[in-house]
Amino acid sequence: MSTPDEQTPHRYTAALAGAIETAWQDRWEERGTFHAPNPAGSLADPDAAAAYPGGSLLVLDMFPYPSGAGLHVGHPLGYIATDVYARYHRMLGKNVLHCLGYDAFGLPAEQYAVQTGAHPRTTTQDNIVIMKRQLRRLGLGHDDRRAIETIDPDYYRWTQWIFLQIHNSWYDESAVRPDGGLGRARPIAHLVEQFERGERALPSSEARSWAELSHAERARVLDEYRLAYTSQAPVNWAPGLGTVLSNEEVTNEGRSERGNFPVFKKNLRQWMMRITAYADRLADDLDRVDWPEKVKIMQRNWIGRSTGASVRFPVAGQDAEIEVFTTRPDTLFGATFMVLAPEHPLVDSLVPQGDWPEGTRPAWTGGEAGPGTAVAAYRLAASRKSDVERQVETKVKTGVFTGGWAVNPLSGQRIPVFVADYVLMGYGTGAIMAVPSGDQRDYEFATAFDLDIVPTVEPGPEHDGASAWTGDGLIINSANDEVSLNGLDVTQAKARITAYLEDRGLGEGTVSYKLRDWLFSRQRYWGEPFPIVFDEDGVAHGVPDAMLPVQLPDVPDYSPKTFDPDDNSSEPEPPLSRVQDWVEVDLDLGDGRGPRRFRRETNTMPNWAGSCWYYLRYLDPLNDDALVDAANERYWIGPRGEAVAGAPAGASDPGGVGLYVGGVEHAVLHLLYARFWHKVLHDLGHLSSDEPFRTYFSQGYIQAPAYTDSRGQYVEASEVQEGPGQTFTFQGEPVQREFGKIGKSLKNMVSPDEMYAVYGADTFRLYEMGMGPLEQSKPWETRAIVGSLRFLQRLWRNVIDEDSGQVRVIDAPLDADTARILHRTIDAVRADFGSLGFNTAIARLTELNNALTKLADGVPREAAEALVLMVAPLAPHIAEELWSRLGHPQSLAHAAFPVADPAYLREDRVTCVVQIKGKVRDRLEVPADITEEALRAQVLGLPKVAEATRSGIRTVIVRAPRLVNVVPLEA
RNA sequence: GCGCACGUGGCGGAACUGGCAGACGCGCCAGACUUAGGAUCUGGUGCCUUCGGGUGUGCGGGUUCGAGUCCCGCCGUGCGCACCA
C-alpha cells in the first residue's frame, strides 16, 4: 500500500493512532492512573481520598454479561459516555470511581456447555478475556483492581451472605425507620422473641401457643414472615427451558423472555422474595431519585398500587362472605352482581344442588340444565385456556351464574354471583363487586347477561348513554336508612362511604398492588448455590456464615432436564440434584445439636442475584470481613446533604450511585430487584444509603442497517452493495433495508475491532459520542466516522508539524477573536459535559478546532493546550500524547479542566435583527449595552424600515440589543 | 383500547426562558495538491426563483408584534401497559 505517510510522515493516521493508544493504555495501567483511593480497607489511602477538592463520584455502567459473540459497536456506547463523564469529573478535582466487572453466571454459557461438554466456567472465562481485550482497546479509565466477577467464590460468598440476611429477616410493619416512616426489615430472631413472649399473636389458624408448636411447625409459621421463604404456589414453569421464571421474566404473550418458550402456571415449592413488603417504599421513593420519568412510570405501573376499599358481601343463605377489592367504593349502591374468578375457592360452596334457583334469568345459564353442570363446564373450559388465550379473547365477556346470591351490604338487594374469567385470581381478592353503570367491563358483562344497571354517578353531558360512566359527577341513587351519598362528588363519597364501612365492620380502606413476590429459584447449574440445607423434617436452615461460600460443585451433566416446550405436566429437575454426594451433607450448624445429616438446596439463584449488589462490591472488592466497609459505602454512595431536583419538599437524599447509565430494558427487572435488596440491607443497618441508584440515565441504542432478500431472509449486511437512490443489492439481487438491533440474528454485526483497526479508538469514541443525544436511538453509519478522524487529524496538525513531527504551537498571546471563541467554547463544553450533552460539546470543540486551523501564524500554545484538555475526556489517547509533546510530563487525567474567563463571555457588539412584521429584513451591528431608545431610533432611521413604514407605524417592539420588530400600519 | 414520548435538509442531528431555523458532522458539488485518490486541504450546499425575492420545522386551525418552541384537533412513528376491579 502506498501510504500518505511517505509524503507526510507524521500525519495522524489509524496506524499512528493505534500506536499512541496502546502505548497510553499500557502507561495508564502501569501507573495505576485510574486507581481511586478508598477511605478505609485494603484499597485505602485516606489522605489521598481526603485530598480531592471535589469530593467523590461513583460512575456506573450496566453489569455486562460476557457474551461469546464478542462486542458489537452498540455495546460501548454507554461505557464511552460514562468514561467521558468520569474523566471530565476527574479533571474537576473529584475522586472518581469507575470500573467494570462481569455478571458471569448465566444461561448462554450453560447452554453452550450442554452442547459441547465444556465447563461453563471455562467458556465464561474465555469470553471475559476476549471482552476485556476489546474494552481495554477502547481506553476506558477503569480502576482495574475492582473488576469483580460474580462466579468468583469470593464474590458469591457475599451473594449467599446477603441471601441469608434476607432469609433471616422479616418485615416489621410497625417498626419506625430512621426517616420517621413505618415499617422496616428486622432480624427474624426479633419475631421469634415476640412469639415466645406472647407479644405477637400467631396466625389466626393456629390455636396453640408458640411453645406448643413443633420445630417444623414453627418453621412454617416463620416462613409466613421471612423476606426469603419457600412456598408452594402457582409459578411460571417453562418446560422448554427446564426452569421456573419470575413474573418479570415472562412476556405479555405468556412466553419466556429468554428463548421465547411457552410458560405455564404450575404449583411448585419454590424460593420467593417478599418484595411486596416493600411495595410502598419502592413506589414512594421513586420521588427521591433522579431518574427518567419514563422509567419511574414503568416501575410504578409494575408495582401497580391502587387505593380503595375492601368490602365484605354476605352470601345469602350461608354463613359466608365474599371479600372484594374496589377502587370505587362510592359506587357500592350500584353493585348489581358479583363475579368470582374461575379459580376462586368459594365457587364450589356457592353452587346449589339441583336446578337453577328462583330468579335465574335465561341469559345466565349458559344453556346448561343446572348451576352444577354449568359452573363445572365453565371452570373446565377456563382451566384449559392458557393465560395467553384468556387475554387474546378480549372484548367478548364469558361467564355463568353460580346459582348463589350475595347481599349488597348497603342496598340490601339480593344480587347474583357469577363466575367469569375476566376476573383474575391473581389480583385483589379474585372477586369483584360489579358496578355496570360505573365500570366498562362490568357494563359489557351486564349487557351480555341481562343484568340490572343502576347509575350512581350523574354522567356528564358528553356521556353516550350506552356505556359506563367512569368520570366525576354527583352521586345519585345512593342512600339507605343510615347513610346517603347523594349529592356528593366522587372523592367526597369515597371518603364518606369508607368511613361508614369501617364503622359498621363491613370493610375498610385498603391498598392493592399488582406486584407479586419475586420467584427466586431456578433449576439450573450455572448460578449461585443457595446457602441452605434441609433437615429431616424438611425445615430450611441457613448455612453458618463461617461455612460460606457454598461452592458450586462440578457435575457430570450441566443440563437441567428439559421437556417438550408444550408439556405442562412435566416437573423441574435441577442438575445439582443429581450430585448425590454433594446434596447429602453432614454439618454442625452450631445450634448446639451437633453434626447432623442435611440435604442441600439443589436449586440455584437467578442471574439477578449477582447483579443486585455488584455496585456495592465495587466499593470494596477485596474486603473479607464485610460485603462493603461502612466507611467506604458512606464515602462513595452515602446520602448527600441535598435532595435531588424535583424531590418533594422536605425529602431527604437517599444516596446511591452518582450516575448510572444503561438501557431501558432493565427498567423493571434489575432496577427494581436491586432497589429491594438495597433497602433490606439498609434496614438491617449494613448501608447508610437507602436507594442504590441516585441518578439513572437511560441511553438509546445504536441500530444498524439490516437487509432482507425477496424471501424475507436476512442477508449478511457487510456484503450488501449500495446503488443509486437508496437501492441495495446482495450478490446482484435487490434487498430491502431496515434498521434494527445489532446482532447475529439480523446479520448486521459491526465489531469495534474493525473500527480500532481502520480509525483508532479515539476516532471511534468521538464518533459514538457525536452521533446525537445519548438517550436517543440512532442508526450506525460506518462511512460517517471519517468526520471524527478528520477532526482529530486537524487537532493533531494544529499542534504537530506533519512533516517534521515537531510541536508547532507558537508562544504568542491570543488575539481577541481567538480568545473569545476559546472561552465561549470552554463555557459551553463545561455545561454540555456536565449534562451528558456530548454531541453538542463535540460540535463546539469542532468549531474551535476549525477556527484554530485557520490561524495563519500558527496556534498559540494557550489555545492549543486548552483544546487538548477539553478533548481529553472524549479522545484521551491523542490528548495525552499531545499534552506530553507539549512538554507536560504528568498525565492530564487529573489536570484541571479549563475555566472560562467571564470577561470573554461578554460581547461588546452584537448583531441586532431588524424585523418588519415579524420577518427579518435587515441586520445591524450595535453595542451590546445599547439602550432601547437609541436602538429604536437607529432602526427607524434605516432606509428599508422607512420604506416599509411609509403609511405609518402601528407598533415597535424593542428587545435590546438583539431584536427590533417594526409593525407598519396597513396601507 | 389506555398512557407516555417524538415528527426539523438527501442522512445523523443543532436551536437557553417564544426572538436570525438548519450549529456540527456525513453525503453531494466545485476547486487545490497529485500518476492516481475511496487520502488530505479550500470553498459551496434547505427548497423554489424571472435573482427583486418567495417559501420552509408531519397536516389543519388558534394565541402572539413574532411560534420548530405555547394551545386545540387530526395523521404518522416508537415505547410502555393491556380485562389490574
Side-chain angles (χ1 to χ4, degrees), chain A residues 387-442:
Chain A
D387 284 3
V388 201
E389 288 168 314
R390 277 203 194 182
Q391 281 170 27
V392 166
E393 295 165 19
T394 51
K395 298 274 188 281
V396 190
K397 294 274 183 292
T398 63
V400 70
F401 180 39
T402 59
W405 302 82
V407 178
N408 183 318
L410 295 191
S411 69
Q413 291 280 318
R414 228 168 62 117
I415 57 176
V417 181
F418 280 72
V419 234
D421 65 3
Y422 83 93
V423 173
L424 310 172
M425 198 57 224
Y427 183 76
T429 63
I432 61 160
M433 65 173 210
V435 183
S437 61
D439 182 289
Q440 187 58 27
R441 295 154 302 182
D442 298 343

Side-chain angles (χ1 to χ4, degrees), chain A residues 810-829:
Chain A
I810 57 171
D811 286 306
L814 301 180
D815 64 87
D817 285 344
T818 306
R820 203 174 306 117
I821 184 173
L822 172 64
H823 286 274
R824 272 179 208 180
T825 304
I826 293 170
D827 189 53
V829 166

